[in-house]
Amino acid sequence: MKNVIVGTAGHVDHGKTTLLKALTGVDLDTLKEEQKRGITINPGYSTLENDRNIDIGIIDVPGHEKFVHNMLTGIGGVDLVLLLVSAEEGIMPQTREHFEIVKALGSDKGIVVITKTDLVDPEFVPMVEEEVKAMVKGSFLEDAPMIPVSAYTGDNIEKLRTTILDMAETIDGPPRDKSLARLPVDRVFTIAGHGTVVTGTLVEGSIEKGDVLSLYPSLKETTVRSIQVHSKEADAAYGGQRVALNVTLKKEDIAIGDVLAPPNALPLTEQVDVSITMFQSTEKILLNSSRVHVNYGSGEVIARVILFGNDELHPEEKGYGQLRFEEAIPLRKDDPFVLRFFSPVESMAGGKVLEVKPKRHKRRDPAVVEELAKKETGDDTTILAMALAENRYRYDSDEALAHRLGFTPTRFADALGALQKEGVAIPLIEGVTVHKDTVDGAFLSVQNILARYHEDFPLETGMPKQSLRHQLAQVEHLDDDRLTDGFIQLFFAMRKLVDHGLRVEETGFTATLTPEQEKQWDAAEKIALNAGFEFANDDDFKRVGKKYDQILKFMTESGTLVTLANGRIHKDYFDKAVALAMDMIEKDGALKLADFRNAIDTSRKYAVDILDKMDEMGYTLFKDGVRVKA
């Protein structure tokens, strides 16, 4: 069954509650104070019964200027707006304000209802219709149905009901994925024998009886004992439904404006990047660094507005900025909000969240405005690519990114798959994907680290792996060893680095000798060649000069010298020894120590070291007192 929420908007006493009573048969002025005043103070809720298998919830929101906050609480999450204008009074201040608010909150379907037609002469109704057409021109209501009705006589009530049902059939409704479940709390009370009950409009996702949810921003967990949807018991609730949940938390733990959602599903943020559109009807100017009231979901918070590229925004102007809240609140990308002047409290602008948990930006940087414009209009792959690029140094998990962007797992996987095919998104470790620019930046850090190391140790063929890990973690702000190892393993797989076990070097790296070191090399090689099979030891090589040990290590790693148990032999002599040993084994079937010693014309101690090295390198095998081919 499809779920659709219909909400009213309009000036006080323009007949919203009376009209909805005619449509639903329910008087939504339920509170004594509301009955006494004849105006709606809190949002009222009912259902529109029908035979089209559509679950339609009706919200009657307050019209009085003193209760605009209550109106904001009710109108959030509405799929279809009924904008009511009295034929008797025409457009009034709260008419314009409510119209601006529903536009700001992202409403895209609606019906204009001209009420109280029984109180005016028939020729007066077209005049009001023309006035309304002028107001809604260029908006989502420009081509919307406009229906004159009388709740008192019943005139056109059935036509309005049919139009609501026809439009409801064209509404897809919010996604039902459980990971997106979000219930802004607009009422909290207790029922004897049952405990705490919260109500709200389930913005998206689904909630089932027995689910464990977190209360944001306190992060206290609670279990759903029972569920009512439109005052009827249910096992589950779905996005687009009016919901009452019996929960295990105490009433005093919950406040209007709190949000119930799955644990770890909503980011808490103290600042967001936003688009802001000033209301046409406002007389206020939004100045940079102004303090404002921000209404979101069913909550309200005070924030400071930082404007990018502008010092002020005037009526009807649009701009980009950052809201810095006085407390952390739960938001996702694309969440709508309304800005109200700090004092006196008047609605003046609406907008949309473009980035949750952003960094602070330079106000005059044109690139900031360009990036935010892309975030506002970009498709899923563009949005995800930008989020991945900004995730450097934070390394949020894929799941956390999906929650922040408000993507379902399927939607996130589709966008991520497309970016991986393009080479933009690269898996780093299980559950963490990074942007290719992050990979490039991390490898540049590796190159810089290796360059500094080789300045200090110019003849080393590689840097100790553990040292590289430590320095890379510091430079890239990697507080998880898995991320550091992930980068290094990725660079091995990309053949950007060569793994030498305990050491690492950049692919294609070759150590370069200074003129002084080249002289030391020549001197050391001459010593080794002169020693022949009677190899030289460290005492012999000390004559090379300072840091002779680095020269010997470099010559050994490059293959010019071969390290034996008691010294180093030049590769030319070692190769000759190997060739001679192989020939003797081929001829005699085995090689005796004495025969090899005589063949190379040296003493036993040198011959033993050379033969042991051959065994170690896999040329020969010592067996029964002789050596054979390995």
PDB file of all heavy atoms in Angstrom, residues 212-247:
ATOM      1  N   VAL A 212      15.345  -1.841  17.706  1.00  0.00           N
ATOM      2  CA  VAL A 212      16.128  -0.998  18.612  1.00  0.00           C
ATOM      3  C   VAL A 212      16.515   0.270  17.852  1.00  0.00           C
ATOM      4  O   VAL A 212      17.112   0.199  16.779  1.00  0.00           O
ATOM      5  CB  VAL A 212      17.382  -1.727  19.118  1.00  0.00           C
ATOM      6  CG1 VAL A 212      18.246  -0.786  19.957  1.00  0.00           C
ATOM      7  CG2 VAL A 212      17.002  -2.960  19.919  1.00  0.00           C
ATOM      8  N   LEU A 213      16.157   1.423  18.405  1.00  0.00           N
ATOM      9  CA  LEU A 213      16.437   2.711  17.768  1.00  0.00           C
ATOM     10  C   LEU A 213      17.262   3.576  18.704  1.00  0.00           C
ATOM     11  O   LEU A 213      17.272   3.368  19.917  1.00  0.00           O
ATOM     12  CB  LEU A 213      15.131   3.436  17.431  1.00  0.00           C
ATOM     13  CG  LEU A 213      14.136   2.698  16.522  1.00  0.00           C
ATOM     14  CD1 LEU A 213      12.858   3.514  16.380  1.00  0.00           C
ATOM     15  CD2 LEU A 213      14.752   2.433  15.154  1.00  0.00           C
ATOM     16  N   SER A 214      17.953   4.532  18.109  1.00  0.00           N
ATOM     17  CA  SER A 214      18.665   5.542  18.896  1.00  0.00           C
ATOM     18  C   SER A 214      17.888   6.846  18.851  1.00  0.00           C
ATOM     19  O   SER A 214      17.267   7.191  17.838  1.00  0.00           O
ATOM     20  CB  SER A 214      20.078   5.766  18.341  1.00  0.00           C
ATOM     21  OG  SER A 214      20.931   4.702  18.662  1.00  0.00           O
ATOM     22  N   LEU A 215      17.944   7.568  19.962  1.00  0.00           N
ATOM     23  CA  LEU A 215      17.338   8.894  20.032  1.00  0.00           C
ATOM     24  C   LEU A 215      18.443   9.916  19.798  1.00  0.00           C
ATOM     25  O   LEU A 215      19.414   9.983  20.548  1.00  0.00           O
ATOM     26  CB  LEU A 215      16.679   9.114  21.396  1.00  0.00           C
ATOM     27  CG  LEU A 215      15.945  10.447  21.580  1.00  0.00           C
ATOM     28  CD1 LEU A 215      14.670  10.469  20.735  1.00  0.00           C
ATOM     29  CD2 LEU A 215      15.612  10.672  23.044  1.00  0.00           C
ATOM     30  N   TYR A 216      18.287  10.717  18.753  1.00  0.00           N
ATOM     31  CA  TYR A 216      19.291  11.730  18.422  1.00  0.00           C
ATOM     32  C   TYR A 216      18.778  13.089  18.889  1.00  0.00           C
ATOM     33  O   TYR A 216      17.605  13.388  18.718  1.00  0.00           O
ATOM     34  CB  TYR A 216      19.553  11.752  16.916  1.00  0.00           C
ATOM     35  CG  TYR A 216      20.113  10.467  16.376  1.00  0.00           C
ATOM     36  CD1 TYR A 216      19.278   9.390  16.078  1.00  0.00           C
ATOM     37  CD2 TYR A 216      21.483  10.316  16.171  1.00  0.00           C
ATOM     38  CE1 TYR A 216      19.795   8.208  15.584  1.00  0.00           C
ATOM     39  CE2 TYR A 216      22.004   9.133  15.665  1.00  0.00           C
ATOM     40  CZ  TYR A 216      21.155   8.092  15.371  1.00  0.00           C
ATOM     41  OH  TYR A 216      21.658   6.912  14.877  1.00  0.00           O
ATOM     42  N   PRO A 217      19.642  13.929  19.507  1.00  0.00           N
ATOM     43  CA  PRO A 217      21.097  13.800  19.578  1.00  0.00           C
ATOM     44  C   PRO A 217      21.644  13.109  20.830  1.00  0.00           C
ATOM     45  O   PRO A 217      22.865  12.996  20.971  1.00  0.00           O
ATOM     46  CB  PRO A 217      21.560  15.256  19.553  1.00  0.00           C
ATOM     47  CG  PRO A 217      20.473  15.984  20.262  1.00  0.00           C
ATOM     48  CD  PRO A 217      19.188  15.280  19.905  1.00  0.00           C
ATOM     49  N   SER A 218      20.800  12.666  21.764  1.00  0.00           N
ATOM     50  CA  SER A 218      21.323  12.111  23.020  1.00  0.00           C
ATOM     51  C   SER A 218      21.983  10.755  22.827  1.00  0.00           C
ATOM     52  O   SER A 218      22.799  10.333  23.648  1.00  0.00           O
ATOM     53  CB  SER A 218      20.195  11.988  24.044  1.00  0.00           C
ATOM     54  OG  SER A 218      19.284  10.960  23.682  1.00  0.00           O
ATOM     55  N   LEU A 219      21.613  10.037  21.734  1.00  0.00           N
ATOM     56  CA  LEU A 219      22.129   8.702  21.402  1.00  0.00           C
ATOM     57  C   LEU A 219      21.681   7.630  22.399  1.00  0.00           C
ATOM     58  O   LEU A 219      22.243   6.533  22.422  1.00  0.00           O
ATOM     59  CB  LEU A 219      23.663   8.709  21.283  1.00  0.00           C
ATOM     60  CG  LEU A 219      24.246   9.664  20.239  1.00  0.00           C
ATOM     61  CD1 LEU A 219      25.759   9.546  20.195  1.00  0.00           C
ATOM     62  CD2 LEU A 219      23.645   9.407  18.861  1.00  0.00           C
ATOM     63  N   LYS A 220      20.665   7.933  23.201  1.00  0.00           N
ATOM     64  CA  LYS A 220      20.103   6.912  24.082  1.00  0.00           C
ATOM     65  C   LYS A 220      19.328   5.907  23.239  1.00  0.00           C
ATOM     66  O   LYS A 220      18.596   6.279  22.325  1.00  0.00           O
ATOM     67  CB  LYS A 220      19.180   7.548  25.119  1.00  0.00           C
ATOM     68  CG  LYS A 220      19.913   8.441  26.118  1.00  0.00           C
ATOM     69  CD  LYS A 220      18.941   9.079  27.101  1.00  0.00           C
ATOM     70  CE  LYS A 220      19.689   9.965  28.097  1.00  0.00           C
ATOM     71  NZ  LYS A 220      18.758  10.638  29.049  1.00  0.00           N
ATOM     72  N   GLU A 221      19.486   4.624  23.572  1.00  0.00           N
ATOM     73  CA  GLU A 221      18.810   3.591  22.794  1.00  0.00           C
ATOM     74  C   GLU A 221      17.478   3.220  23.431  1.00  0.00           C
ATOM     75  O   GLU A 221      17.296   3.298  24.650  1.00  0.00           O
ATOM     76  CB  GLU A 221      19.699   2.355  22.648  1.00  0.00           C
ATOM     77  CG  GLU A 221      20.895   2.591  21.747  1.00  0.00           C
ATOM     78  CD  GLU A 221      21.549   1.293  21.277  1.00  0.00           C
ATOM     79  OE1 GLU A 221      21.146   0.212  21.774  1.00  0.00           O
ATOM     80  OE2 GLU A 221      22.439   1.364  20.416  1.00  0.00           O
ATOM     81  N   THR A 222      16.541   2.809  22.594  1.00  0.00           N
ATOM     82  CA  THR A 222      15.216   2.421  23.061  1.00  0.00           C
ATOM     83  C   THR A 222      14.679   1.321  22.165  1.00  0.00           C
ATOM     84  O   THR A 222      15.097   1.190  21.006  1.00  0.00           O
ATOM     85  CB  THR A 222      14.254   3.631  23.061  1.00  0.00           C
ATOM     86  OG1 THR A 222      13.027   3.254  23.677  1.00  0.00           O
ATOM     87  CG2 THR A 222      13.989   4.128  21.649  1.00  0.00           C
ATOM     88  N   THR A 223      13.759   0.551  22.694  1.00  0.00           N
ATOM     89  CA  THR A 223      13.122  -0.527  21.938  1.00  0.00           C
ATOM     90  C   THR A 223      11.670  -0.155  21.651  1.00  0.00           C
ATOM     91  O   THR A 223      10.979   0.420  22.501  1.00  0.00           O
ATOM     92  CB  THR A 223      13.169  -1.846  22.725  1.00  0.00           C
ATOM     93  OG1 THR A 223      14.529  -2.177  22.998  1.00  0.00           O
ATOM     94  CG2 THR A 223      12.530  -2.978  21.930  1.00  0.00           C
ATOM     95  N   VAL A 224      11.213  -0.468  20.445  1.00  0.00           N
ATOM     96  CA  VAL A 224       9.832  -0.188  20.056  1.00  0.00           C
ATOM     97  C   VAL A 224       8.933  -1.304  20.583  1.00  0.00           C
ATOM     98  O   VAL A 224       9.016  -2.450  20.130  1.00  0.00           O
ATOM     99  CB  VAL A 224       9.705  -0.075  18.523  1.00  0.00           C
ATOM    100  CG1 VAL A 224       8.256   0.184  18.119  1.00  0.00           C
ATOM    101  CG2 VAL A 224      10.615   1.028  17.994  1.00  0.00           C
ATOM    102  N   ARG A 225       8.082  -0.963  21.541  1.00  0.00           N
ATOM    103  CA  ARG A 225       7.175  -1.968  22.118  1.00  0.00           C
ATOM    104  C   ARG A 225       5.983  -2.236  21.210  1.00  0.00           C
ATOM    105  O   ARG A 225       5.576  -3.382  21.024  1.00  0.00           O
ATOM    106  CB  ARG A 225       6.670  -1.487  23.479  1.00  0.00           C
ATOM    107  CG  ARG A 225       7.711  -1.514  24.590  1.00  0.00           C
ATOM    108  CD  ARG A 225       7.142  -0.833  25.820  1.00  0.00           C
ATOM    109  NE  ARG A 225       7.987  -1.012  26.984  1.00  0.00           N
ATOM    110  CZ  ARG A 225       7.942  -0.226  28.054  1.00  0.00           C
ATOM    111  NH1 ARG A 225       7.089   0.796  28.091  1.00  0.00           N
ATOM    112  NH2 ARG A 225       8.736  -0.447  29.084  1.00  0.00           N
ATOM    113  N   SER A 226       5.403  -1.159  20.704  1.00  0.00           N
ATOM    114  CA  SER A 226       4.239  -1.300  19.839  1.00  0.00           C
ATOM    115  C   SER A 226       4.162  -0.106  18.903  1.00  0.00           C
ATOM    116  O   SER A 226       4.808   0.922  19.121  1.00  0.00           O
ATOM    117  CB  SER A 226       2.955  -1.426  20.659  1.00  0.00           C
ATOM    118  OG  SER A 226       2.738  -0.250  21.422  1.00  0.00           O
ATOM    119  N   ILE A 227       3.347  -0.257  17.834  1.00  0.00           N
ATOM    120  CA  ILE A 227       3.240   0.768  16.796  1.00  0.00           C
ATOM    121  C   ILE A 227       1.770   1.008  16.482  1.00  0.00           C
ATOM    122  O   ILE A 227       0.973   0.062  16.390  1.00  0.00           O
ATOM    123  CB  ILE A 227       3.961   0.323  15.505  1.00  0.00           C
ATOM    124  CG1 ILE A 227       5.450   0.074  15.764  1.00  0.00           C
ATOM    125  CG2 ILE A 227       3.778   1.356  14.393  1.00  0.00           C
ATOM    126  CD1 ILE A 227       6.184  -0.506  14.569  1.00  0.00           C
ATOM    127  N   GLN A 228       1.428   2.278  16.322  1.00  0.00           N
ATOM    128  CA  GLN A 228       0.132   2.638  15.765  1.00  0.00           C
ATOM    129  C   GLN A 228       0.347   3.513  14.544  1.00  0.00           C
ATOM    130  O   GLN A 228       1.182   4.426  14.558  1.00  0.00           O
ATOM    131  CB  GLN A 228      -0.732   3.391  16.781  1.00  0.00           C
ATOM    132  CG  GLN A 228      -1.390   2.515  17.820  1.00  0.00           C
ATOM    133  CD  GLN A 228      -2.494   3.239  18.567  1.00  0.00           C
ATOM    134  OE1 GLN A 228      -2.730   4.434  18.384  1.00  0.00           O
ATOM    135  NE2 GLN A 228      -3.189   2.503  19.423  1.00  0.00           N
ATOM    136  N   VAL A 229      -0.396   3.197  13.486  1.00  0.00           N
ATOM    137  CA  VAL A 229      -0.374   4.006  12.269  1.00  0.00           C
ATOM    138  C   VAL A 229      -1.772   4.555  12.056  1.00  0.00           C
ATOM    139  O   VAL A 229      -2.730   3.786  11.920  1.00  0.00           O
ATOM    140  CB  VAL A 229       0.075   3.165  11.055  1.00  0.00           C
ATOM    141  CG1 VAL A 229      -0.010   4.001   9.783  1.00  0.00           C
ATOM    142  CG2 VAL A 229       1.494   2.651  11.259  1.00  0.00           C
ATOM    143  N   HIS A 230      -1.898   5.875  12.086  1.00  0.00           N
ATOM    144  CA  HIS A 230      -3.204   6.523  11.975  1.00  0.00           C
ATOM    145  C   HIS A 230      -4.188   5.932  12.991  1.00  0.00           C
ATOM    146  O   HIS A 230      -5.323   5.557  12.659  1.00  0.00           O
ATOM    147  CB  HIS A 230      -3.759   6.394  10.557  1.00  0.00           C
ATOM    148  CG  HIS A 230      -2.848   6.955   9.510  1.00  0.00           C
ATOM    149  ND1 HIS A 230      -2.244   8.193   9.618  1.00  0.00           N
ATOM    150  CD2 HIS A 230      -2.409   6.441   8.323  1.00  0.00           C
ATOM    151  CE1 HIS A 230      -1.502   8.418   8.550  1.00  0.00           C
ATOM    152  NE2 HIS A 230      -1.574   7.377   7.755  1.00  0.00           N
ATOM    153  N   SER A 231      -3.683   5.779  14.234  1.00  0.00           N
ATOM    154  CA  SER A 231      -4.499   5.339  15.383  1.00  0.00           C
ATOM    155  C   SER A 231      -4.898   3.872  15.326  1.00  0.00           C
ATOM    156  O   SER A 231      -5.758   3.437  16.090  1.00  0.00           O
ATOM    157  CB  SER A 231      -5.771   6.205  15.509  1.00  0.00           C
ATOM    158  OG  SER A 231      -5.420   7.571  15.646  1.00  0.00           O
ATOM    159  N   LYS A 232      -4.286   3.080  14.457  1.00  0.00           N
ATOM    160  CA  LYS A 232      -4.568   1.649  14.388  1.00  0.00           C
ATOM    161  C   LYS A 232      -3.303   0.855  14.683  1.00  0.00           C
ATOM    162  O   LYS A 232      -2.209   1.228  14.241  1.00  0.00           O
ATOM    163  CB  LYS A 232      -5.098   1.276  13.004  1.00  0.00           C
ATOM    164  CG  LYS A 232      -6.438   1.932  12.662  1.00  0.00           C
ATOM    165  CD  LYS A 232      -6.884   1.543  11.261  1.00  0.00           C
ATOM    166  CE  LYS A 232      -8.212   2.217  10.912  1.00  0.00           C
ATOM    167  NZ  LYS A 232      -8.650   1.887   9.526  1.00  0.00           N
ATOM    168  N   GLU A 233      -3.428  -0.242  15.436  1.00  0.00           N
ATOM    169  CA  GLU A 233      -2.283  -1.087  15.754  1.00  0.00           C
ATOM    170  C   GLU A 233      -1.651  -1.619  14.470  1.00  0.00           C
ATOM    171  O   GLU A 233      -2.353  -1.983  13.517  1.00  0.00           O
ATOM    172  CB  GLU A 233      -2.713  -2.257  16.636  1.00  0.00           C
ATOM    173  CG  GLU A 233      -3.134  -1.855  18.044  1.00  0.00           C
ATOM    174  CD  GLU A 233      -1.957  -1.363  18.887  1.00  0.00           C
ATOM    175  OE1 GLU A 233      -0.821  -1.815  18.634  1.00  0.00           O
ATOM    176  OE2 GLU A 233      -2.179  -0.532  19.785  1.00  0.00           O
ATOM    177  N   ALA A 234      -0.328  -1.678  14.457  1.00  0.00           N
ATOM    178  CA  ALA A 234       0.383  -2.179  13.275  1.00  0.00           C
ATOM    179  C   ALA A 234       1.678  -2.859  13.711  1.00  0.00           C
ATOM    180  O   ALA A 234       2.223  -2.560  14.780  1.00  0.00           O
ATOM    181  CB  ALA A 234       0.683  -1.032  12.308  1.00  0.00           C
ATOM    182  N   ASP A 235       2.159  -3.776  12.893  1.00  0.00           N
ATOM    183  CA  ASP A 235       3.434  -4.438  13.161  1.00  0.00           C
ATOM    184  C   ASP A 235       4.611  -3.632  12.620  1.00  0.00           C
ATOM    185  O   ASP A 235       5.755  -3.820  13.050  1.00  0.00           O
ATOM    186  CB  ASP A 235       3.452  -5.840  12.538  1.00  0.00           C
ATOM    187  CG  ASP A 235       2.490  -6.788  13.225  1.00  0.00           C
ATOM    188  OD1 ASP A 235       2.313  -6.661  14.451  1.00  0.00           O
ATOM    189  OD2 ASP A 235       1.905  -7.639  12.528  1.00  0.00           O
ATOM    190  N   ALA A 236       4.317  -2.757  11.658  1.00  0.00           N
ATOM    191  CA  ALA A 236       5.382  -1.959  11.042  1.00  0.00           C
ATOM    192  C   ALA A 236       4.808  -0.631  10.562  1.00  0.00           C
ATOM    193  O   ALA A 236       3.599  -0.500  10.324  1.00  0.00           O
ATOM    194  CB  ALA A 236       6.014  -2.713   9.876  1.00  0.00           C
ATOM    195  N   ALA A 237       5.684   0.351  10.446  1.00  0.00           N
ATOM    196  CA  ALA A 237       5.324   1.655   9.899  1.00  0.00           C
ATOM    197  C   ALA A 237       6.281   1.981   8.768  1.00  0.00           C
ATOM    198  O   ALA A 237       7.451   1.564   8.784  1.00  0.00           O
ATOM    199  CB  ALA A 237       5.399   2.730  10.978  1.00  0.00           C
ATOM    200  N   TYR A 238       5.794   2.730   7.763  1.00  0.00           N
ATOM    201  CA  TYR A 238       6.596   3.008   6.577  1.00  0.00           C
ATOM    202  C   TYR A 238       6.628   4.509   6.291  1.00  0.00           C
ATOM    203  O   TYR A 238       5.744   5.259   6.712  1.00  0.00           O
ATOM    204  CB  TYR A 238       6.029   2.259   5.371  1.00  0.00           C
ATOM    205  CG  TYR A 238       5.987   0.764   5.577  1.00  0.00           C
ATOM    206  CD1 TYR A 238       4.824   0.136   6.007  1.00  0.00           C
ATOM    207  CD2 TYR A 238       7.131  -0.010   5.390  1.00  0.00           C
ATOM    208  CE1 TYR A 238       4.787  -1.235   6.222  1.00  0.00           C
ATOM    209  CE2 TYR A 238       7.112  -1.377   5.600  1.00  0.00           C
ATOM    210  CZ  TYR A 238       5.943  -1.985   6.022  1.00  0.00           C
ATOM    211  OH  TYR A 238       5.922  -3.335   6.249  1.00  0.00           O
ATOM    212  N   GLY A 239       7.677   4.911   5.567  1.00  0.00           N
ATOM    213  CA  GLY A 239       7.840   6.310   5.221  1.00  0.00           C
ATOM    214  C   GLY A 239       6.570   6.887   4.623  1.00  0.00           C
ATOM    215  O   GLY A 239       5.939   6.286   3.760  1.00  0.00           O
ATOM    216  N   GLY A 240       6.178   8.085   5.094  1.00  0.00           N
ATOM    217  CA  GLY A 240       4.966   8.725   4.609  1.00  0.00           C
ATOM    218  C   GLY A 240       3.761   8.472   5.482  1.00  0.00           C
ATOM    219  O   GLY A 240       2.651   8.882   5.144  1.00  0.00           O
ATOM    220  N   GLN A 241       3.956   7.804   6.631  1.00  0.00           N
ATOM    221  CA  GLN A 241       2.837   7.533   7.531  1.00  0.00           C
ATOM    222  C   GLN A 241       2.963   8.347   8.811  1.00  0.00           C
ATOM    223  O   GLN A 241       4.067   8.631   9.271  1.00  0.00           O
ATOM    224  CB  GLN A 241       2.778   6.045   7.890  1.00  0.00           C
ATOM    225  CG  GLN A 241       2.377   5.139   6.738  1.00  0.00           C
ATOM    226  CD  GLN A 241       2.273   3.690   7.158  1.00  0.00           C
ATOM    227  OE1 GLN A 241       3.018   3.219   8.019  1.00  0.00           O
ATOM    228  NE2 GLN A 241       1.339   2.969   6.558  1.00  0.00           N
ATOM    229  N   ARG A 242       1.795   8.699   9.370  1.00  0.00           N
ATOM    230  CA  ARG A 242       1.755   9.264  10.717  1.00  0.00           C
ATOM    231  C   ARG A 242       1.859   8.112  11.697  1.00  0.00           C
ATOM    232  O   ARG A 242       1.121   7.130  11.619  1.00  0.00           O
ATOM    233  CB  ARG A 242       0.447  10.026  10.947  1.00  0.00           C
ATOM    234  CG  ARG A 242       0.429  11.403  10.326  1.00  0.00           C
ATOM    235  CD  ARG A 242       1.437  12.341  10.930  1.00  0.00           C
ATOM    236  NE  ARG A 242       1.317  12.436  12.380  1.00  0.00           N
ATOM    237  CZ  ARG A 242       2.172  13.090  13.158  1.00  0.00           C
ATOM    238  NH1 ARG A 242       3.221  13.689  12.627  1.00  0.00           N
ATOM    239  NH2 ARG A 242       1.991  13.135  14.465  1.00  0.00           N
ATOM    240  N   VAL A 243       2.814   8.205  12.623  1.00  0.00           N
ATOM    241  CA  VAL A 243       3.175   7.057  13.448  1.00  0.00           C
ATOM    242  C   VAL A 243       3.178   7.443  14.927  1.00  0.00           C
ATOM    243  O   VAL A 243       3.607   8.539  15.294  1.00  0.00           O
ATOM    244  CB  VAL A 243       4.575   6.539  13.050  1.00  0.00           C
ATOM    245  CG1 VAL A 243       4.987   5.377  13.930  1.00  0.00           C
ATOM    246  CG2 VAL A 243       4.594   6.125  11.591  1.00  0.00           C
ATOM    247  N   ALA A 244       2.710   6.510  15.751  1.00  0.00           N
ATOM    248  CA  ALA A 244       2.879   6.608  17.198  1.00  0.00           C
ATOM    249  C   ALA A 244       3.637   5.375  17.653  1.00  0.00           C
ATOM    250  O   ALA A 244       3.270   4.247  17.303  1.00  0.00           O
ATOM    251  CB  ALA A 244       1.527   6.679  17.897  1.00  0.00           C
ATOM    252  N   LEU A 245       4.717   5.579  18.391  1.00  0.00           N
ATOM    253  CA  LEU A 245       5.544   4.476  18.876  1.00  0.00           C
ATOM    254  C   LEU A 245       5.505   4.447  20.399  1.00  0.00           C
ATOM    255  O   LEU A 245       5.717   5.471  21.056  1.00  0.00           O
ATOM    256  CB  LEU A 245       7.002   4.631  18.421  1.00  0.00           C
ATOM    257  CG  LEU A 245       7.287   4.712  16.918  1.00  0.00           C
ATOM    258  CD1 LEU A 245       8.797   4.852  16.694  1.00  0.00           C
ATOM    259  CD2 LEU A 245       6.754   3.489  16.191  1.00  0.00           C
ATOM    260  N   ASN A 246       5.232   3.273  20.943  1.00  0.00           N
ATOM    261  CA  ASN A 246       5.369   3.054  22.380  1.00  0.00           C
ATOM    262  C   ASN A 246       6.809   2.578  22.608  1.00  0.00           C
ATOM    263  O   ASN A 246       7.206   1.527  22.116  1.00  0.00           O
ATOM    264  CB  ASN A 246       4.358   2.005  22.838  1.00  0.00           C
ATOM    265  CG  ASN A 246       4.434   1.700  24.328  1.00  0.00           C
ATOM    266  OD1 ASN A 246       4.062   0.622  24.752  1.00  0.00           O
ATOM    267  ND2 ASN A 246       4.941   2.616  25.134  1.00  0.00           N
ATOM    268  N   VAL A 247       7.609   3.382  23.327  1.00  0.00           N
ATOM    269  CA  VAL A 247       9.040   3.109  23.469  1.00  0.00           C
ATOM    270  C   VAL A 247       9.413   2.930  24.934  1.00  0.00           C
ATOM    271  O   VAL A 247       8.649   3.267  25.837  1.00  0.00           O
ATOM    272  CB  VAL A 247       9.887   4.238  22.839  1.00  0.00           C
ATOM    273  CG1 VAL A 247       9.652   4.307  21.342  1.00  0.00           C
ATOM    274  CG2 VAL A 247       9.575   5.580  23.490  1.00  0.00           C
TER     275      VAL A 247
END
